Amino acid sequence: MKRVAIVGCGGSGKSYVARELGRRLGAPVTHLDAVYYDDEWNPLPKDRFADVQRDLVSASSWVIDGNHNSTLQIRLDACDTVVFMDLPTRTCLWGVVSRQLRHGGGQDKGNGIYNRIHLGVIRYVLSYRRKMRPRVLAKIDEYARGHAQVVILTSRRHARRWLDEATTARQTG
């Protein structure tokens, strides 16, 4: 496990798993929202965003968290592990709200996690399982299965247990 793509609904715990996995593996961690948006919330042009990701995935080890479905293939083609955070909608909603309560809103707190909550974010989380989840799973099947291990985590407890098991196995194996 050297090149890990982490995807899932907002509030599912992608950034936590990425930070923790990167720390345990000694791999650089990239939060795609921190790459995509500048300080004024202006998005990077799509072609430049894709180029940045191609540069990131050319490294020998990395952990990248974020969805950005339009460029997901870049990460899936290059990864050796995909972690899909498949948590219930209510858990993801609580994740978004609790992050807002813990960190405040509208800015990067120095860890690559943007705390910008608005109606669009809530709608996205509420519709993720119905709209985005099937699209993400289809891309994982098309671009990662066969060359990458696919890990589907369904709860925060499952995520913590997997982190422990995966990194312990790596240290002893």
Side-chain angles (χ1 to χ4, degrees), residues 25-173:
L25 297 177
V29 176
T30 302
H31 305 286
L32 285 181
D33 281 350
V35 173
Y36 187 66
Y37 295 106
D38 67 15
D39 292 340
E40 285 81 40
W41 287 98
N42 298 306
L44 204 58
K46 289 185 188 236
D47 58 337
R48 179 70 186 120
F49 186 51
D51 289 342
V52 168
Q53 287 181 72
R54 285 185 195 94
D55 288 342
L56 289 168
V57 301
S58 69
S60 61
S61 70
W62 45 264
V63 176
I64 300 175
D65 94 74
N67 289 312
H68 298 277
N69 197 46
S70 65
T71 58
L72 181 56
Q73 181 182 349
I74 294 168
R75 288 166 274 137
L76 294 177
D77 282 341
C79 71
D80 60 29
T81 307
V82 179
V83 177
F84 180 53
M85 303 295 294
D86 194 20
L87 280 70
T89 300
R90 68 183 177 283
T91 303
C92 296
L93 277 172
W94 175 247
V96 168
V97 170
S98 66
R99 181 173 58 217
Q100 181 78 13
L101 294 172
R102 281 191 318 272
H103 300 291
Q107 57 188 322
D108 176 20
K109 296 297 182 180
N111 57 7
I113 302 168
Y114 285 82
N115 301 306
R116 185 176 184 209
I117 189 171
H118 52 77
L119 189 55
V121 171
I122 300 299
R123 282 189 191 131
Y124 178 79
V125 171
L126 288 172
S127 67
Y128 185 87
R129 290 192 76 73
R130 183 174 37 84
K131 289 184 177 178
M132 286 306 299
R133 181 180 183 273
R135 293 170 60 192
V136 170
L137 288 171
K139 282 192 175 184
I140 290 170
D141 280 340
E142 183 174 356
Y143 299 112
R145 289 214 194 264
H147 76 271
Q149 176 188 13
V150 177
V151 177
I152 298 177
L153 303 175
T154 57
S155 70
R156 299 203 190 286
R157 176 182 282 174
H158 188 189
R160 288 188 299 273
R161 188 173 56 239
W162 176 79
L163 282 165
D164 289 341
E165 291 169 359
T167 55
T168 299
R170 186 176 187 271
Q171 292 167 352
T172 60

